[in-house]
Each structure stands twice: as structure tokens, then as C-alpha cells.
Amino acid sequence: MLNAFHSPQSVALLGATSEIGQAILKALPHDSLNTCYLVAREPQRAAKTLKEVLPDRTKLVEIDFQAEATQTHKAVVDQLFADGDLDVAIIAVGVLGNNPDVDESANALDVMTVNYLACANLMLLIAEKMKLQGHGQIEIISSFAQTRPRVDNFIYGSSKAGLDFMARGLNDKLEGTGVSISILRPGFVRTRMTKGMSEAPFAVNSDAVAKVAVNLLKGDERIGYSPAVLKYVAYVFTLMPTKIFKRISNR
Amino acid sequence: MSLQRMESTGWGRTVRSVSTEYAPQSIDELQEYVRDGKNPRGFIAHGLRRSYGDSSLNIGGITIDAAFLSRLEFHPNAPVVTVGAGVSIRTLEKASLERKLFPPVVPGTGLVSIGGAIAADIHGKSHHITGAFSSCVKRIQLLYSDGEIRDLYPEGPTADHFWATVGGLGLTGMILEADLQLIQMNTPSVLVEETRVNDLDEMLTLLSASDETFQHTVAWIDLSGDFRGRGVVGKGNYVSQELSAKQEEPTKSKNAPTLTFPKIGPFSLINKFSVRAFNEMWFRKPLTRGVSSIDSFMHPLDQIQNWNRIYGDRGFIQYQFVVPEGNEDFLAHVLVTMKDLGAASFLGVLKKFGKGSPAPLSFPKPGWTLALDIPAHLHNLESTLNSLDSQLCDRDGRIYLVKDARLKPEFLPTMYPRLEEWRGIRNNMDPRGMWQSDQSRRLKLC
Ligand SMILES: Cc1cc2nc3c(=O)[nH]c(=O)nc-3n(C[C@H](O)[C@H](O)[C@H](O)COP(=O)(O)OP(=O)(O)OC[C@H]3O[C@@H](n4cnc5c(N)ncnc54)[C@H](O)[C@@H]3O)c2cc1C
Ligand SMILES: NC(=O)c1ccc[n+]([C@@H]2O[C@H](COP(=O)([O-])OP(=O)(O)OC[C@H]3O[C@@H](n4cnc5c(N)ncnc54)[C@H](OP(=O)(O)O)[C@@H]3O)[C@@H](O)[C@H]2O)c1
């Protein structure tokens, strides 16, 4: 249950090894945090680093998870609710899809499966459970890349656009149930995922993203950009004539 | 059947909770509804929602309004009344006074239901003499989750269920009615004496001394400026027949509240300056000495409706605790802590409790109780109060659950050492675990 200060007692991090996800977990209020569910391919790796930053009293529950194994998702989600209410779920699973060892279609399939199929499915399953408890917050990590297709990342962008679209629709559908979905749209974040890539303008660290993520959970806004200026850039990008957009984005 | 989805909050307005509100039309209908209860989130009874936190809320589940339980029947040959759980203390007081009777324990507001008074085992200014509310409860009629209705008494074979229900926060069942022992009351007046004190030491000394000679004692403590514990100690005795004949008629208290705070949205009117100005005025106000109406003495805040809205959308916390005597330094420490936080407040109330009640979850026990209203948005408030809670545990203190929406569950067994005993009885009374609240889930009470 959220308490008088709206501090969560139980939080699930799906994609618990994610750098952005871990930064969000660190930035959340810890005063009342009793249980933290770490859902990942290697949850013990997540537990090892998170143990250092979370209070001793917080129980860490490690849950194994493979995004592609969609038929196992329900059992994973059930575990998040086995010990009472879940207050907040952060879905940080994702891949960029630039694995040089495979061809483009294999990369695309991976991106679509992990970023869209798996994340959207987890979101739907968690929302269903939260509806029964009458409260809960889900935060998904979309991306600035979903704004408009760009030649260099439209596959990734499309997977995020799909997830983002679903999240907005689901959030509207959940109105009045006590459950809400927040959508985080970061730009270029310096993490393991972007390591070695040349930085895009407005690049930020995961701590900055985490700040926006935590504020989103506190307020009434449903969509948050990091950095905030990207909200306006997105607006301009959307309205820009195709010719100009192509020229700028393919620089 | 009247079922309605709605958002509710406690008096402190910090937690918002959407549940299905059930307003029963009759006891038969209620009985059947509870017996058939299928909602996995269960149900919780509520009265007038004067609890500050999440005791009467049940997110995703059912909340049952006790308002229809309005029976009020005085026994012909004894100062005893049978009263429905939905009746307010104010209504009971008025009807009792017409018969020269009065409830021996009344809280700071008259807008508390009998069900809420028993479920929280409330206390009043008379605690040092009368004990908590349960001291006047002779019988509780309780609806169990299996749909059965049973009469419970403070002694005999039903005593464990009776005492688990007292202070049991609605988690043993729904109180339908109770028999209360009233006291004889010759006049509807109290002889009041107020004294200004300049610091905490003076306040503690005067409160202790006053308990010897006054039936009612309480202090208003100034939580602003230098927070050194200055304030006004209020003392009162019921007026006997002879005295009142000599005194002038007491000023008639207004029954209807005179002022209503408007909805003010996200803004709080509370800040260091407004509080300091108000408290300065309150400290300097002309002191009452003489006969006062019982209503204005017992329930001074009831003249202003919805005063809880002055804290804006984020709401406020009432932090109320008790510490045993000998921990006066802790009271001073709390004042300094509030000062450091910038937690200026209109409402700081200090009282010395007498003996505790036999109920495992009853709050009052011998020692000092301090209640402070604090705006919830203050920076670092959560961790500061957690740290005070931890010190309270070391000092054998506890916090008042019906004011709470933030206590951490791990402190509960230390603060309420009979928790396990209570849990055992409760599980026995409600094996399906149907009585649940936001608080019971947050504190893992059941
Ligand atoms: C201005 C103000 C002054 C106050 N002063 C005092 C004081 O001096 N001393 C003191 O002790 N308290 C005081 N209180 C707190 C108040 O007395 C308690 O919170 C009381 O429980 C409120 O009763 P209610 O009818 O509003 O109950 P609610 O707030 O509706 O419910 C409170 C609890 O009682 C349970 N409950 C209510 N009705 C029933 C029922 N029929 N059957 C079973 N359970 C039930 C609920 O489940 C919940 O756990 C004050 C509160 C305010 C706002
Ligand atoms: N970094 C950026 O610039 C940026 C910008 C916008 C949005 N995002 C989004 O932010 C989220 C977090 O990214 P990040 O930067 O923190 O990257 P990250 O550290 O690589 O995190 C990605 C997470 O997804 C998990 N994951 C990937 N494939 C999986 C699979 N098949 N099964 C189970 N788990 C899988 C990873 O687990 P393993 O540790 O096991 O690989 C890891 O926990 C992602 O959704 C990403 O798309 C990132």
C-alpha cells in the first residue's frame, strides 16, 4: 500500500539488471520499501548491486525471466502478487537490436519480441492484477525514438511506438480503477545499451532519467521526457515537413 | 441494495482510496450481504470518517456505512443507553443531557460514531480518571463475517472477543450497537480554569498537579516560534447543582457549526507565518475562568467545519504517541525536531494518561500523550517520523493507530506487544479474513 506520503511498500523491477531501471529504483523513496521484486534473466546479478543501495530491511525477491518465453509471463506476474499488494511495477526490459552477429531480420524479430510483445504483455498482465487490488502504478520505458521513424532506428522506434500506443490506450481504459500507467520517453541515455555509440544531442545519464521517472509516479502527468526539452523537440519533429526531417535526422 | 463506487479519504486527506461503498437498508440485508461476501478484498465498517489515516478505507474492496444503525434507547431504571453504532457522540450527548446524563468519555470532536469510538477505544480529557471509552461499554453487539450476530460482554465467555473488538479497528466484525453506562449530570456545564504556561516543564508540572483536582485536563501547546512548549493548560470539573445555582447561566453553545472552510485545491494555507500569528493570538487570548457550556469545553473545534481542508491537497499527518513517564526529555526532543523540520502547527495537544484498558490494541497507557498536526508535504517528514517511531520503540512508547497512515509494520509488535494475542483471537473470529482495511494491509495487522 502507498502510505500517507505516497511512498511504496512493494516495487517490482522487470529488467532488473537495466541501468535505467536500477537508477529509478534508487531514486524512489525507500522509507517504506518492504519488498522489491527483481525480475531478470540473471536476477542474482541485479540483487548483488541493488543490495548495496537499498535499505537492509528491504526484502529482495529474485525472479527468473526470459522475455521471449511469453507463455511463462503469467507465472512470473503471479509471483509479484503472491505476498500481497504490488504498489509499483517498472518495466525496463528492452534491446536496441544492433547485434552484429545476426542479420537485420533476426535483429528486428528480437527487438519486436522483447520491446513490444514481451513488455506489452507484461503490462497487460500486471494491470489486470492491479485492477483487482484497486490500485497500482505501472511505468514503462518508451523512447524519444518512437516520435517519428528514422532510417537508423525505425525498427527499434516502431517497437517502442507500439508499446507507447498500447500504454496510452490502456491507461485511458483503466480510468477510475485506481491503476495508472506512466510512460517515460528518454532520449539518448549513457548506459550499457548505448555504449560505444556516438552521442545524440541532449544525451543524459540514467540518474537524470530516474528523476523524471520518479516525478512521473508522483504527479498527474502520464508522459515524461528526459531531458524535458525533448517534449518540444518531439513536437517540432512531428510537424516538420518530411524533406527537412530526413535531412536533419540522417545527418 | 445501495452499492456505489467512490473515492474516500480519512480526515487527514493524505490517502485516497477507491472502494465500493455499501449503505445497508436493514440489518437483515447486511447480514446476508456479509455472509455471501465474495470480494477477495473483503469489507470494513466505517462511521463518520474522523480517523485521520487509512483505518476506515478499503481500496478495491467494500466499505460499509454504519449510518443506518441509529437506535437510541435509554433504559428506564438505570443510567444506561442502548445506542446504534452509527449514532454520533454529539447526538448521544444531546439526548443524554435531556435526561441529566452524559457519556463519561468523549473525544475532542462530537462527530465520532459509537462504532468508531469503540473500534479505536478513544480517550478524552477525562482519561486520568475514567480510562478509555471501553470503560463505559457494557455490551457490544457484533456482526461476524459468517453473518452471525453475537452479544459480547467485558467479562465471561465472550470477553476475549469483546476486548479484541475494542480498539480492534473494525477488523473483528461490524459493531451494530452497544450498551453504555452513563454518568449523572446535574447541569450541562463545566467549571473551567485555563492557565498560561511559558515552557514545557511548567506545562508538565501543571498538568500532573491538575489531575489531582480536576476531572478534565488537557493542554494546548504552541508549535511555532521557538517551540519551547509554552501553551495553555485547560482544566475543568462538572458543575454540581449548588454551584450552578449561584453561577450565571452558561453561555449557550451553538449546535450548528458556524464556519465552513471552502475547498481550496492544491494550496495549503499553513505556513510558518500564518501559524505563528495565529498561535501568538491563541496564546494571548483572554483565559476562560468560570462556567462554560459542556459542548464548547469538550469540542472546541466543532465550531469550524472542514478545517482539515486548510492543509490543501497533500493533506496532513496527525502524529500522536504516548510515552511512559520519565521520558519527558523525549517530548522536548520532539519539539526541537519539529522546529528543525519547520513543522509549525496550530494543533498540538498534550495530556497525561491514566490506566490502560484490557484491550490488546487499545492505545492509551500511563504516560504522556502528544498529538501534533503536521502538513504532509514537508521535506524529510517521513524519515523524521520513522526515526521518532524507532526512538519510541526504545522508550516503550507507541503511536495511535486510528490517526496513522504511515507507521512501518516492523515497529508494530514492539509498540503493541500483545499484537500476537490479538491476531490469534481475531483469526478465530474471522477465519476467512474478510474484515480488511488499507491499514490492515499496510501494517500487516491480520
Ligand atoms: C477533530 C478530531 C478530534 C479528535 N479527538 C479525539 C480524541 O480526543 N480522542 C480520541 O481518542 N480520538 C480523537 N479523534 C479520533 C476519532 O475519535 C477516532 O478516529 C474515531 O475512531 C473516529 O470515529 P468515526 O466514527 O469517524 O470512525 P471512522 O473514522 O469511520 O472509522 C475509524 C475506525 O473505526 C472502525 N469502525 C467505525 N465504525 C465501526 C463499526 N460500526 N463497527 C466496527 N468498526 C467500526 C473503522 O473500521 C475504523 O477502523 C479525533 C478526530 C478528529 C477529527
Ligand atoms: N539507453 C538509452 O539510450 C535508452 C533510451 C531510451 C529508452 N531506453 C529504454 O530503457 C530501457 C532500459 O535500458 P537501459 O539503457 O537500462 O539498458 P540495459 O541496461 O541494457 O537494460 C535492458 C534490460 O532488458 C533486459 N533484457 C534484454 N533482453 C532480454 C530478454 N530477452 N529477456 C529478458 N530480459 C532482457 C536486460 O537484461 P540482461 O541484463 O540480462 O541483458 C536488461 O535488464 C529499455 O527498454 C530501453 O529500450 C534506453
Side-chain angles (χ1 to χ4, degrees):
Chain A
M1 297 294 312
L2 296 182
N3 69 5
F5 301 106
H6 301 194
S7 304
Q9 285 192 312
S10 57
V11 176
L13 177 57
L14 298 105
T17 46
S18 143
E19 283 186 37
I20 297 180
Q22 294 197 352
I24 298 174
L25 206 51
K26 277 182 229 167
L28 277 173
H30 293 169
D31 294 291
S32 291
L33 193 58
N34 297 332
T35 314
C36 202
Y37 297 94
L38 305 177
V39 182
R41 288 194 279 218
E42 296 172 79
Q44 57 295 342
R45 184 154 57 84
K48 216 168 145 194
T49 35
L50 285 168
K51 221 187 271 159
E52 309 295 317
V53 288
L54 293 176
D56 290 343
R57 52 187 286 278
T58 303
K59 188 168 101 188
L60 302 182
V61 182
E62 298 169 17
I63 300 174
D64 288 314
F65 163 74
Q66 273 288 344
E68 300 81 0
T70 47
Q71 73 288 353
T72 62
H73 288 182
K74 192 171 174 312
V76 166
V77 169
D78 283 347
Q79 288 180 66
L80 307 179
F81 295 84
D83 195 28
D85 290 7
L86 180 68
D87 299 327
V88 177
I90 299 152
I91 304 179
V93 176
V95 285
L96 201 51
N98 49 1
N99 183 350
D101 299 336
V102 294
D103 61 25
E104 182 159 10
S105 72
N107 262 328
L109 197 61
D110 193 26
V111 168
M112 291 187 281
T113 309
V114 175
N115 293 0
Y116 181 68
L117 272 187
C119 289
N121 192 41
L122 290 172
M123 176 172 72
L124 287 168
L125 288 167
I126 295 170
E128 208 48 49
K129 284 277 193 185
M130 283 182 167
K131 240 165 68 182
L132 294 178
Q133 63 181 23
H135 70 104
Q137 294 177 294
I138 305 174
E139 187 156 273
I140 57 135
I141 313 189
S142 170
S143 169
F144 176 76
Q146 66 90 47
T147 310
R148 196 168 173 170
R150 275 169 36 192
V151 174
D152 60 348
N153 72 351
F154 66 91
I155 297 177
Y156 176 80
S158 80
S159 69
K160 290 295 187 186
L163 177 65
D164 196 292
F165 193 97
M166 166 97 78
R168 281 178 282 149
L170 182 61
N171 183 61
D172 289 348
K173 188 177 168 205
L174 289 170
E175 201 177 305
T177 63
V179 183
S180 62
I181 318 266
S182 314
I183 302 170
L184 191 60
R185 292 180 182 161
F188 187 102
V189 191
R190 297 177 196 105
T191 69
R192 165 168 76 118
M193 185 178 269
T194 53
K195 204 163 179 190
M197 294 169 59
S198 58
E199 279 192 11
F202 307 117
V204 289
N205 290 330
S206 47
D207 290 345
V209 181
K211 236 189 203 155
V212 175
V214 170
N215 282 337
L216 257 186
L217 290 172
K218 277 197 215 140
D220 293 330
E221 292 271 344
R222 291 278 64 95
I223 299 175
Y225 284 89
S226 177
V229 62
L230 288 181
K231 180 176 174 180
Y232 306 101
V233 180
Y235 186 65
V236 174
F237 269 24
T238 319
L239 297 178
M240 208 175 260
T242 310
K243 250 176 144 170
I244 306 178
F245 179 71
K246 275 188 180 159
R247 203 176 318 137
I248 296 186
S249 62
N250 296 336
R251 253 184 322 131
Chain B
M1 185 174 293
S2 167
L3 290 171
Q4 202 190 345
R5 249 182 102 69
M6 59 187 237
E7 184 182 87
S8 313
T9 118
W11 186 249
R13 303 175 79 245
T14 48
V15 185
R16 276 153 220 280
S17 182
V18 178
S19 56
T20 303
E21 169 84 348
Y22 170 40
Q25 308 293 315
S26 69
I27 291 181
D28 287 349
E29 183 202 282
L30 168 67
Q31 239 179 321
E32 199 172 323
Y33 184 79
V34 166
R35 188 184 297 121
D36 293 347
K38 289 184 191 76
N39 189 318
R41 307 285 288 183
F43 20 68
I44 193 77
H46 75 85
L48 292 165
R49 289 245 157 85
R50 258 43 184 197
S51 51
Y52 283 69
D54 49 8
S55 312
S56 76
L57 308 176
N58 185 17
I59 205 163
I62 314 288
T63 45
I64 310 178
D65 190 352
F68 80 109
L69 299 164
S70 55
R71 185 174 174 196
L72 190 57
E73 232 174 86
F74 290 86
H75 294 203
N77 302 318
V80 173
V81 63
T82 296
V83 58
V87 174
S88 72
I89 293 277
R90 178 197 272 175
T91 303
L92 173 66
E93 285 178 359
K94 260 182 87 178
S96 302
L97 281 172
E98 284 166 13
R99 292 162 179 81
K100 293 195 177 296
L101 297 171
F102 201 71
V105 176
V106 297
T109 170
L111 291 168
V112 163
S113 72
I114 298 303
I118 296 172
D121 201 10
I122 60 163
H123 55 270
K125 300 179 183 41
S126 62
H127 189 274
H128 58 290
I129 296 190
T130 58
F133 194 75
S134 53
S135 64
C136 74
V137 182
K138 298 296 146 204
R139 176 184 67 99
I140 295 172
Q141 191 182 70
L142 191 75
L143 171 67
Y144 286 63
S145 60
D146 61 5
E148 294 299 308
I149 293 174
R150 299 183 181 93
D151 281 322
L152 310 177
Y153 300 91
E155 277 148 25
T158 58
D160 56 344
H161 288 198
F162 179 97
W163 291 111
T165 301
V166 166
L169 302 163
L171 298 167
T172 59
M174 178 157 172
I175 300 162
L176 302 179
E177 63 177 38
D179 288 348
L180 308 179
Q181 177 85 44
L182 304 174
I183 49 171
Q184 301 286 349
M185 185 81 172
N186 293 324
T187 72
S189 330
V190 179
L191 188 58
V192 181
E193 190 180 305
E194 286 183 334
T195 311
R196 232 174 252 128
V197 292
N198 286 309
D199 60 34
L200 186 63
D201 282 348
E202 228 181 280
M203 184 176 281
L204 297 175
T205 311
L206 183 61
L207 270 173
S208 292
S210 307
D211 283 355
E212 308 285 322
T213 42
F214 287 91
Q215 291 157 322
H216 303 277
T217 58
V218 74
W220 170 79
I221 185 163
D222 178 4
L223 289 164
S224 69
D226 59 10
F227 286 71
R228 65 169 189 268
R230 71 174 189 175
V232 177
V233 176
K235 302 153 276 179
N237 279 324
Y238 297 120
V239 175
S240 67
Q241 199 85 51
E242 313 84 69
L243 182 59
S244 83
K246 280 184 245 146
Q247 301 275 343
E248 287 185 10
E249 270 287 293
T251 31
K252 279 243 164 357
S253 86
K254 304 164 201 85
N255 275 326
T258 50
L259 236 170
T260 300
F261 270 99
K263 284 203 163 115
I264 56 164
F267 308 107
S268 166
L269 298 182
I270 303 284
N271 60 52
K272 263 203 315 227
F273 308 104
S274 64
V275 172
R276 197 162 177 177
F278 174 87
N279 286 5
E280 180 65 29
M281 185 193 81
W282 199 252
F283 181 69
R284 303 267 165 227
K285 78 178 170 109
L287 297 174
T288 311
R289 276 170 191 252
V291 176
S292 159
S293 91
I294 196 154
D295 188 44
S296 58
F297 176 72
M298 296 294 183
H299 315 303
L301 275 170
D302 286 357
Q303 317 289 323
I304 313 167
Q305 246 188 0
N306 294 332
W307 57 264
N308 55 341
R309 289 188 187 153
I310 57 175
Y311 291 91
D313 265 5
R314 288 289 301 275
F316 68 107
I317 307 285
Q318 181 167 94
Y319 190 65
Q320 181 172 4
F321 63 84
V322 55
V323 272
E325 266 189 281
N327 289 286
E328 289 72 15
D329 61 320
F330 183 73
L331 299 173
H333 170 66
V334 172
L335 294 185
V336 172
T337 308
M338 292 302 132
K339 183 178 179 204
D340 292 346
L341 264 181
S345 172
F346 296 127
L347 204 114
V349 176
L350 184 67
K351 158 131 196 95
K352 195 169 167 188
F353 276 151
K355 261 179 39 199
S357 92
L361 286 195
S362 180
F363 165 67
K365 64 178 191 174
W368 297 104
T369 184
L370 180 61
L372 320 166
D373 282 359
I374 315 168
H377 69 263
L378 281 188
H379 189 58
N380 282 339
L381 181 58
E382 181 168 19
S383 53
T384 305
L385 295 182
N386 286 343
S387 140
L388 290 178
D389 286 346
S390 153
Q391 296 168 57
L392 269 176
C393 284
D394 296 340
R395 291 167 181 265
D396 231 0
R398 58 167 67 135
I399 76 135
Y400 193 7
L401 296 179
V402 90
K403 307 266 173 103
D404 170 57
R406 44 147 298 277
L407 180 68
K408 295 206 282 188
E410 62 256 41
F411 291 133
L412 201 61
T414 315
M415 291 187 173
Y416 288 88
R418 292 173 65 200
L419 182 65
E420 270 314 307
E421 172 192 343
W422 177 82
R423 279 187 179 135
I425 304 169
R426 198 217 79 89
N427 292 344
N428 206 330
M429 295 173 77
D430 176 24
R432 289 192 299 155
M434 291 309 286
W435 303 104
Q436 300 175 24
S437 64
D438 287 358
Q439 182 169 51
S440 77
R441 278 187 285 269
R442 181 174 53 80
L443 288 177
K444 305 209 180 329
L445 265 163
C446 320

